[in-house]
């Protein structure tokens, strides 16, 4: 059973701070990793994907991947109240199985 | 807006009934995936269709079935509804070969309630 673990939160940070969201996965062969943002009552929207070890930056978002330790994280710099949402980590299956496994998501609250 | 549409938006059914959910993929996309998202959980992969063929299936019973049409729109059918089928059903389209999910865009979802 492939697992993707996320702390459900909520993670509460003040406006302007860095929010750090973490995700661990069990499938050592996974190669593709995704972060989605889901506002309450809405569908997920892709924020970033990462394939290689290290950091990938896109605006205020940075994804970090460490395949040896089997974790992927998402940093949100200068957090804004509009960033308040649930952040879903998704891991693509390995061995020809592209089927993605999602974590249950971490609820982020950015307070003014 | 992703260009992926789903209908209906909300649906209420009773246990034992059958339901059909519909999805129109984004223009140029040939792959459609269906997910079930229970309250407080992440999306669970049901199956994927690529060029009208089922191209992978998650851990769902056979009463969950689907179709993809030549225009790449898709249907999800659920027979013999159970209370636990109550969830948000998400459709996602992608323009890949069917072997990657890196360009997957979700529709707004259909909220199914089974009484």
């Amino acid at each position: 059973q492939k697992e993707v673990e996320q702390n459900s939160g909520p993670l509460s940070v003040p406006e302007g701070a860095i929010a750090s969201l973490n995700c661990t996965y069990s499938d050592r062969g996974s190669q593709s990793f995704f972060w989605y943002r889901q506002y309450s009552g809405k569908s997920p929207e892709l924020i970033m994907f990462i394939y290689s070890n290290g950091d990938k930056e896109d605006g205020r978002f940075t994804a970090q991947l460490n395949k040896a330790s089997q974790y992927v994280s998402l940093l949100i710099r200068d957090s804004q109240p509009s960033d308040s949402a649930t952040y879903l980590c998704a891991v693509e299956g390995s061995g020809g199985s592209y089927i993605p496994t999602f974590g249950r998501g971490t609820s982020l609250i950015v307070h003014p | 807006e992703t260009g992926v549409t789903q209908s209906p938006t909300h649906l209420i059914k009773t246990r034992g009934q059958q339901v059909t959910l519909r999805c129109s993929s984004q223009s140029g996309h040939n792959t459609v995936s269906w997910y079930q998202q229970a309250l407080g959980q992440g999306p669970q992969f049901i199956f994927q269709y690529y060029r009208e063929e089922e191209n992978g299936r998650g851990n769902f019973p056979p009463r969950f079935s689907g179709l993809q049409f030549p225009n790449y729109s898709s249907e999800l059918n659920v027979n013999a509804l159970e209370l636990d089928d109550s969830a948000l059903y998400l459709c996602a389209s992608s323009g890949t070969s069917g072997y990657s999910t890196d360009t997957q865009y979700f529709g707004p979802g259909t909220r199914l309630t089974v009484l």
Side-chain angles (χ1 to χ4, degrees):
Chain A
Q1 179 78 7
K2 298 172 183 176
E3 295 182 348
V4 176
E5 299 288 339
Q6 293 183 259
N7 188 323
S8 61
L11 173 66
S12 182
V13 300
E15 185 174 356
I18 296 175
S20 178
L21 305 161
N22 300 311
C23 170
T24 60
Y25 60 94
S26 63
D27 187 349
R28 184 170 288 278
S30 295
Q31 299 294 320
S32 304
F33 308 86
F34 310 88
W35 283 100
Y36 290 84
R37 177 175 62 199
Q38 186 172 27
Y39 292 112
S40 180
K42 302 294 186 182
S43 59
E45 57 177 319
L46 182 67
I47 299 174
M48 294 187 70
F49 56 86
I50 185 167
Y51 304 140
S52 303
N53 274 329
D55 295 359
K56 179 181 179 182
E57 186 175 318
D58 184 0
R60 296 186 297 113
F61 299 97
T62 298
Q64 299 176 317
L65 175 60
N66 185 322
K67 291 183 180 179
S69 300
Q70 294 175 242
Y71 83 77
V72 56
S73 62
L74 180 70
L75 301 179
I76 307 174
R77 290 182 300 280
D78 188 25
S79 295
Q80 301 296 309
S82 59
D83 294 326
S84 298
T86 296
Y87 289 80
L88 298 163
C89 171
V91 177
E92 194 169 277
S94 62
S97 168
Y98 55 84
I99 295 173
T101 300
F102 281 79
R104 63 185 302 171
T106 297
S107 175
L108 173 66
I109 299 172
V110 181
H111 53 86
Chain B
E1 296 296 324
T2 63
V4 181
T5 61
Q6 291 186 244
S7 63
T9 304
H10 296 87
L11 201 53
I12 299 175
K13 291 286 189 178
T14 57
R15 195 169 46 181
Q17 285 189 308
Q18 178 267 341
V19 68
T20 297
L21 310 181
R22 295 179 174 83
C23 171
S24 292
S25 58
Q26 187 168 315
S27 178
H29 285 184
N30 56 20
T31 303
V32 173
S33 301
W34 285 93
Y35 295 84
Q36 180 195 67
Q37 187 176 24
L39 200 61
Q41 302 295 319
Q44 298 293 310
F45 178 84
I46 303 176
F47 43 56
Q48 182 182 90
Y49 279 85
Y50 168 60
R51 292 186 176 179
E52 303 178 59
E53 298 285 333
E54 188 178 289
N55 192 39
R57 188 178 182 92
N59 189 26
F60 280 82
R63 59 189 185 85
F64 286 78
S65 63
L67 283 173
Q68 187 179 32
F69 300 99
N71 66 355
Y72 303 131
S73 65
S74 177
E75 286 183 353
L76 164 65
N77 299 290
V78 187
N79 294 320
L81 284 167
E82 301 177 358
L83 297 179
D84 285 349
D85 295 334
S86 295
L88 179 67
Y89 287 85
L90 295 162
C91 162
S93 80
S94 57
T96 65
S97 65
Y99 294 100
S100 175
T101 56
D102 61 343
T103 55
Q104 192 165 237
Y105 299 97
F106 284 88
T110 294
R111 173 74 61 188
L112 172 65
T113 301
V114 182
L115 302 176

